[in-house]
Every structure is written in structure tokens, then in C-alpha cells.
Amino acid sequence: MRLVICPGVHEPKLTDCFLTGLSGLWGLAADRQNQQIVEPVKIFPAHKYPPFSAIDILHFLCREELAGESLVFVSFSAGVAGAIGAAWMWQQLGGKVGAFFALDGWGVPLVGNFPIHRISHDRFTHWSSAILGGGGESFYADPAIEHLDLWRAPQTAKGWHVSQTAAGIETLAPTTAAKFLVHLLKQYGVQSVV
């Protein structure tokens, strides 16, 4: 699985902070001891192209020569709109999408024949976004945090991992946004965030 990061409209250094917040939980020393192959993360240059442009993200993926690889998208804010469109187009061109993560993709309909997860900076965003799809396991911060802080420091965003039992009963478990994301990324076969 190849990790593709689709940032929003913000300084590129916030994406570096986001990846640092995740890598601290990854257990890279253990990965190196097991001699796993670490695949580099692909980061869409949202400071050069509009993050909400699916076609620009698709062109980026094609330039990176990712044909034949299964992609896991992690997108933020305006990048969610572009990334979901790029994921659909990637599939139409014969590519595989392993999973899709939308961090604060408020107002963006999320549907696809791949697992979709929403991560929100507050309960209202979580609840109101769920109406538009993305019904897999999800997370929302509680207490609420600022929108950009979810991307800048996911390891500090305390809240709830929301899932459903086989009987359809919603369950909540305390965690952080970073722990939630790292847990699921590992389940989908992503080997590293660096």
C-alpha cells in the first residue's frame, strides 16, 4: 500500500507537523528490526496546485508512476474534495484504492467502493458530515479543537473512536486522532508515514 497525502490550503510545514505527529506513534525502530521495506509517502504539492482539484491530484499520481499500486488517501479540508475525485478517477483508470481518510472534509460527499473514514475536529462536524457518507470507523475530537490543529498536531486531538458492532450498535472508545489513524493505516498495510 502506498500512502498519498492530500493537504488543504495551508502552509506546507503543517503537513510536516502532521506526519511527525503520526510517526511518533509508528514504532519505526521495530519496523526496521523486522527489516520491512519502507515505501516513501507521496505528498500532493497543494502549495503549487489547488488541493480541491481532482484532476491536478490525478495528474500528480500519474507523474509519480504509481500504476499498479494500491493507494491509501489521507486528505485534509479542501484536499478531501480533490482527493475523493482523484480516488474515483484512479479506479476508473484501473488503479486500486485501499482506503480513504477524510480529515475535516465537511460538506464533501464521500462515497466509493473502498473503505472511507472521517476524522473531525468536533462532534458537530462529525455528525453533520456523516449525513454525506463515509460510514466506516470514524473519529471526532472531544473537547473540540481548532480546524488546523487537527492537521498540525493529531497526536494532541483527544476524542472518540466511533465504530459499530455486528448488531449495528454504535460504540465509542477514547483515543487520539493520531492513534486512530495509525491503527487503521497499519490495518490497511501501510508500512510507514516517513
Side-chain angles (χ1 to χ4, degrees):
M1 293 283 178
R2 178 71 69 120
L3 185 60
V4 177
I5 304 292
C6 297
V9 179
H10 52 74
E11 292 292 319
K13 68 181 178 180
L14 293 186
T15 300
D16 295 337
C17 292
F18 173 76
L19 292 172
T20 298
L22 297 183
S23 67
L25 299 171
W26 205 270
L28 294 177
D31 287 350
R32 287 193 187 110
Q33 288 174 358
N34 294 332
Q35 298 180 349
Q36 293 179 349
I37 298 169
V38 177
E39 295 291 336
V41 174
K42 297 297 181 183
I43 302 173
F44 175 72
H47 58 287
K48 295 181 180 178
Y49 304 97
F52 48 80
S53 171
I55 196 71
D56 283 325
I57 294 173
L58 181 65
H59 286 159
F60 166 75
L61 298 175
C62 293
R63 283 192 307 271
E64 293 295 315
E65 300 179 2
L66 299 173
E69 294 194 46
S70 185
L71 305 182
V72 172
F73 289 83
V74 174
S75 55
F76 174 67
S77 194
V80 174
I84 192 68
W88 294 332
M89 289 187 283
W90 184 253
Q91 279 194 321
Q92 289 176 341
L93 293 173
K96 297 174 190 155
V97 177
F100 188 92
F101 293 86
L103 283 82
D104 266 1
W106 191 79
V108 179
L110 295 180
V111 293
N113 59 353
F114 41 81
I116 298 173
H117 305 279
R118 286 192 184 267
I119 299 172
S120 304
H121 78 280
D122 66 8
R123 188 173 186 276
F124 174 77
T125 303
H126 170 75
W127 172 81
S128 58
S129 295
I131 296 168
L132 299 173
E137 293 177 73
S138 59
F139 170 89
Y140 67 88
D142 181 24
I145 60 171
E146 293 296 319
H147 171 68
L148 283 177
D149 287 342
L150 183 61
W151 194 248
R152 178 185 297 113
Q155 71 278 15
T156 65
K158 295 178 182 176
W160 300 101
H161 176 157
V162 182
S163 57
Q164 289 192 353
T165 65
I169 298 169
E170 186 174 271
T171 63
L172 301 174
T175 191
T176 66
K179 287 178 182 176
F180 171 81
L181 191 52
V182 167
H183 170 73
L184 287 177
L185 287 173
K186 285 182 175 182
Q187 280 189 352
Y188 289 119
V190 175
Q191 295 181 4
S192 176
V193 296
V194 293

